[in-house]
Structures are given as C-alpha cells and as structure tokens.
Amino acid sequence: MSSRAGKPRSPVIPDPRRILVDADACPVKDEIYRVAWRIGVAVVIVSNQHLRVPAHPLVSRIVVSDGFDAADDWIAEAADAKSVVVTADILLADRCLKAGATVLSPTGKPFTTASIGGAIATRAIMADLRAGGDQLGGPAPFAKADRSRFLSALDAALVKLNR
C-alpha cells in the first residue's frame, strides 16, 4: 500500500502494552475496559470460570482450570515489562513484579519492589492471627474513592509504560 504522496506507509505496529486482570473477584473490570479502549491497549481477563466480557477486539478472555493458583500461574507467566497486572493477590503481585510488570490493586494502590516485602509480611501475620482464632475484620468496603484512585493509577501506569 502506498500513501497519497506515493511513499510507502510504515506498517502499523500494535501497542505492546497490555493489561492482565486477575478477574474472578475484580471490582474494576468496567473501568479497565474504558481506559483500555480510550488508550488502545489490549486487556486479558483471566479467570477460573467463564466471565462475560465485552465483544471488543482489544478484550480477550482466558479461562483456566479450577486448579489451585491456575489463574495466578497463567498471569505470572504472561507478565512482562510492558504489562500492567491488576490483582489484589499479594503473592501474585510479587511474582509479577519479579517478571518486570507494573502491578496495581483494584483500589489503585501500586505494588512495588519496595513495598511488596512488607505486604507479604503483613499477610503472613494476619494469616497466623486468623489461624490462632483471632476474629479480624476484613478489608474496608470498596468505595467510590477507590474506583477513582484506581482509574488515575491505571492511566498513570499505562502512560509511564509508553515512555
């Protein structure tokens, strides 16, 4: 193909960035789609069960087996330096950070190499307390401010990856 000026057009190179979503309990899938469509970034929804996803060329769905950590394993293997991974799973976040990915929680909190050790330690302490019979409250309810913070963090992460 050639352009009007007669010069050959360079081929369109697809955006190498993508968003990998640990989707089974993700409360911000609709927000992810909106950002991805606006920017033109692919989204991969990974789950242990069939989830409805929009019929859009930028959105794909991977349904893994219901085996323990099957979705986590798929995401960790696919994650790379051009990926933004959305997960609330601290151990998956650690694996993805080690693969060079940018990792965000659904509340917009970034997991970083500097913060992941503390998050893993806190997770272990809480598990020990629960195992000892302590009654602990769960996480705070997901709020409108969390959704807004997530949108800002996802947008910023994708812009940063484009540099």
Side-chain angles (χ1 to χ4, degrees):
M1 274 188 171
S2 62
S3 65
R4 288 188 217 171
K7 295 180 186 175
R9 286 192 277 197
S10 58
V12 175
I13 299 170
D15 194 323
R17 298 173 296 170
R18 64 184 172 164
I19 305 167
L20 303 173
V21 183
D22 186 8
D24 284 315
C26 180
V28 290
K29 289 187 283 290
D30 289 338
E31 289 77 6
I32 293 168
Y33 302 141
R34 286 198 313 263
V35 170
W37 295 335
R38 181 175 44 81
I39 296 176
V41 174
V43 177
V44 182
I45 299 294
V46 184
S47 64
N48 296 100
Q49 59 187 323
H50 183 84
L51 297 176
R52 291 178 53 146
V53 299
H56 192 282
L58 288 174
V59 179
S60 60
R61 172 183 43 226
I62 303 293
V63 179
V64 297
S65 73
D66 61 356
F68 184 72
D69 282 346
D72 294 0
D73 291 343
W74 193 98
I75 293 168
E77 289 173 21
D80 61 20
K82 287 293 187 177
S83 302
V84 174
V85 176
V86 179
T87 185
D89 184 319
I90 294 167
L91 298 180
L92 174 58
D94 182 47
R95 293 171 67 187
C96 294
L97 286 169
K98 288 175 180 169
T102 300
V103 185
L104 297 174
S105 76
T107 62
K109 177 184 172 194
F111 289 104
T112 65
T113 54
S115 70
I116 196 69
I120 291 170
T122 300
R123 178 187 181 278
I125 290 167
M126 298 302 280
D128 286 347
L129 290 172
R130 282 190 298 274
D134 289 337
Q135 297 294 323
L136 305 171
F142 194 76
K144 190 174 183 178
D146 295 323
R147 201 170 300 279
S148 177
R149 192 171 36 255
F150 174 77
L151 282 167
S152 295
L154 179 59
D155 202 47
L158 289 168
V159 167
K160 186 176 178 182
L161 284 182
N162 205 31
R163 293 183 191 153

